[in-house]
């Protein structure tokens, strides 16, 4: 996973995770505790739509320790939330926008960041600021 890096310039504004922090996680429960703390810190934002908040919940619920990301299809998130898959796509675009900068969408193969998901591309959803919170919780 190319988003697991050695050094991060601005941890608060980055979704990259230090590989050393990823190795420090001893259990899945330990990671999920930090992911839910991250969720609570972001879900209270008044500039987010209700659809985006619900989508963010689904992303956090499906966050995986192996990849330090969530990478399910929009249709799966739609099943989880009861929303239409296009509403999920719109919510992800809102969350990944430059103004919000809550998540990053990473293209696994091309090693690039995207503003919106593209059909046929395996994308991962990364949480902005997660590494900083992992450092605070695990150190």
């Amino acid at each position: 996973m190319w988003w697991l890096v050695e050094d991060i310039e601005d941890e608060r504004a980055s979704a990259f995770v230090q590989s050393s922090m990823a190795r420090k996680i001893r259990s899945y429960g330990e990671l999920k505790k930090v992911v839910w703390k991250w969720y609570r810190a972001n879900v209270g934002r008044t500039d987010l739509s209700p659809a985006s908040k619900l989508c963010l919940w689904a992303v956090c619920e499906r966050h995986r320790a192996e990849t330090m990301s969530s990478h399910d299809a929009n249709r799966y998130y739609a099943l989880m939330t009861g929303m239409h898959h296009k509403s999920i796509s719109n919510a992800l675009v809102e969350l990944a926008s430059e103004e919000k900068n809550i998540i990053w969408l990473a293209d696994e193969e091309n090693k690039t960041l995207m503003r919106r998901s593209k059909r046929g591309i395996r994308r991962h959803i990364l949480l902005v600021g997660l590494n900083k919170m992992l450092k605070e919780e695990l150190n």
Side-chain angles (χ1 to χ4, degrees):
M1 303 297 124
W2 60 268
W3 49 88
L4 298 177
V5 297
E6 294 305 315
D7 292 317
I8 301 170
E9 215 170 285
D10 183 6
E11 291 178 332
R12 185 172 306 217
S14 174
F16 292 134
V17 175
Q18 287 180 309
S19 51
S20 59
M21 288 307 303
R23 286 191 300 269
K24 268 189 182 181
I25 299 168
R26 293 180 295 276
S27 70
Y28 181 68
E30 193 174 57
L31 171 65
K32 287 303 269 194
K33 177 183 166 191
V34 177
V35 168
W36 287 118
K37 183 176 180 181
W38 178 92
Y39 171 77
R40 288 188 302 275
N42 285 284
V43 76
R45 289 179 54 160
T46 57
D47 61 338
L48 295 179
S49 68
S52 292
K53 291 179 181 188
L54 191 55
C55 183
L56 195 58
W57 166 82
V59 167
C60 289
E61 178 63 30
R62 298 292 297 158
H63 195 273
R64 294 176 176 88
E66 307 85 45
T67 60
M68 294 303 287
S69 70
S70 181
H71 57 84
D72 294 301
N74 288 358
R75 290 190 186 271
Y76 187 80
Y77 295 128
L79 286 172
M80 286 179 71
T81 60
M83 294 167 41
H84 193 272
H85 67 93
K86 288 185 180 180
S87 298
I88 294 292
S89 181
N90 292 338
L92 290 174
V93 168
E94 178 185 350
L95 293 167
S97 69
E98 259 185 72
E99 305 82 49
K100 307 282 195 296
N101 195 34
I102 296 174
I103 62 168
W104 287 1
L105 303 174
D107 179 344
E108 182 178 326
E109 282 184 36
N110 297 319
K111 298 183 179 182
T112 59
L113 296 174
M114 308 177 291
R115 285 288 169 212
R116 79 174 38 247
S117 298
K118 297 176 185 139
R119 180 174 271 159
I121 292 182
R122 185 162 170 87
R123 64 104 167 91
H124 291 258
I125 302 170
L126 312 175
L127 308 177
V128 173
L130 181 64
N131 191 74
K132 181 172 178 20
M133 204 166 269
L134 282 169
K135 270 187 175 177
E136 292 168 358
E137 293 294 317
L138 298 180
N139 285 338

